[in-house]
Amino acid sequence: MLQTPPESAVILFDGKDLSNWVGRDGGEPKWKVEDDAMIVEPRTGDISSKETFTDHFLHVEFMCPDMPEASGQAKGNSGVFLQGRYEIQVLDSYGIEVPGKGDCGAIYNQFAALVNACLPPLHWQTYDVIFRAPRFNDAGEMTENVRVTALQNGLVILNNVQLPGTTAGGADSAVAKPGPLRLQDHGNLVQYRNIWAVPLPLEGSDQY
Ligand code: MG
């Protein structure tokens, strides 16, 4: 998939610094930046983009640490929270035959990845995500759920799944509002790089 952001992209992290991010409670982000990547600084909290999004396309690259002694949710855990509310799991799930709802590429505890697209730890991987925010009628009632389509390393892992709600650990339940991209500190030294998003119009024109 796209490695180079189009001109319309909002660059969230280009390898230089965390100036587009805030840390826990809106404070300074404490994660480290090294070799064009940002690295989770364990127990300093999640970080969030200053920019917020409604419908958008997201590109993010991540790399899990090598933790051969660890297993399950303790192995290279982090996460990409769309709008700060819906987590696409980041985990070292390399080699797992049938990925589950807690494994890498899952909408956490809602939808498992369709296939295991994971590369081994210490390899850069990509997520390319199309996020469609929920829709509401004039009375403020939700008429269409959030939808997510995602590719991991170029393979489709989520095909237009409709989310019943936010995932555990979501920032808030104000689902009608735009939200930031949030990256999870789950205590493991996961790295991220080359993060950008393209805001999408809510619909095209009605012209033929
Ligand atoms: Mg996680």
Side-chain angles (χ1 to χ4, degrees), residues 73 76-81 87-91 102 108 184-186 192:
Q73 296 295 307
N77 195 333
S78 181
V80 171
F81 279 85
E87 182 184 8
I88 301 184
Q89 175 70 302
V90 169
L91 194 70
Y108 186 74
Q184 184 183 48
D185 167 16
H186 204 281
Y192 291 93

Side-chain angles (χ1 to χ4, degrees), residues 59-138:
H59 175 88
V60 55
E61 302 177 13
F62 65 93
M63 183 163 70
C64 292
D66 189 22
M67 304 177 69
E69 308 300 319
S71 64
Q73 296 295 307
K75 194 171 187 176
N77 195 333
S78 181
V80 171
F81 279 85
L82 306 163
Q83 280 195 331
R85 304 180 182 113
Y86 312 94
E87 182 184 8
I88 301 184
Q89 175 70 302
V90 169
L91 194 70
D92 176 8
S93 300
Y94 177 68
I96 292 176
E97 197 167 337
V98 180
K101 292 196 285 187
D103 284 317
C104 198
I107 300 289
Y108 186 74
N109 207 23
Q110 292 187 5
F111 294 94
L114 295 172
V115 294
N116 190 334
C118 294
L119 299 176
L122 305 180
H123 285 68
W124 282 106
Q125 307 192 55
T126 59
Y127 277 155
D128 289 284
V129 181
I130 301 171
F131 179 86
R132 188 177 188 274
R135 299 299 198 254
F136 299 86
N137 63 19
D138 291 342

Side-chain angles (χ1 to χ4, degrees), residues 153-164:
N153 305 318
L155 295 177
V156 175
I157 55 167
L158 298 166
N159 184 7
N160 194 27
V161 292
Q162 299 199 38
L163 281 52

Side-chain angles (χ1 to χ4, degrees), residues 48-49 51-56 58 80-88 129 131-136 142 145-148 163 166-167 169-183 202:
S48 299
S49 66
E51 187 78 29
T52 60
F53 301 95
T54 306
D55 290 8
H56 62 286
L58 172 70
V80 171
F81 279 85
L82 306 163
Q83 280 195 331
R85 304 180 182 113
Y86 312 94
E87 182 184 8
I88 301 184
V129 181
F131 179 86
R132 188 177 188 274
R135 299 299 198 254
F136 299 86
M142 192 185 298
N145 291 331
V146 167
R147 297 185 202 164
V148 175
L163 281 52
T166 59
T167 60
D172 62 40
S173 54
V175 295
K177 292 191 173 155
L181 172 64
R182 189 165 129 232
L183 302 175
L202 299 190

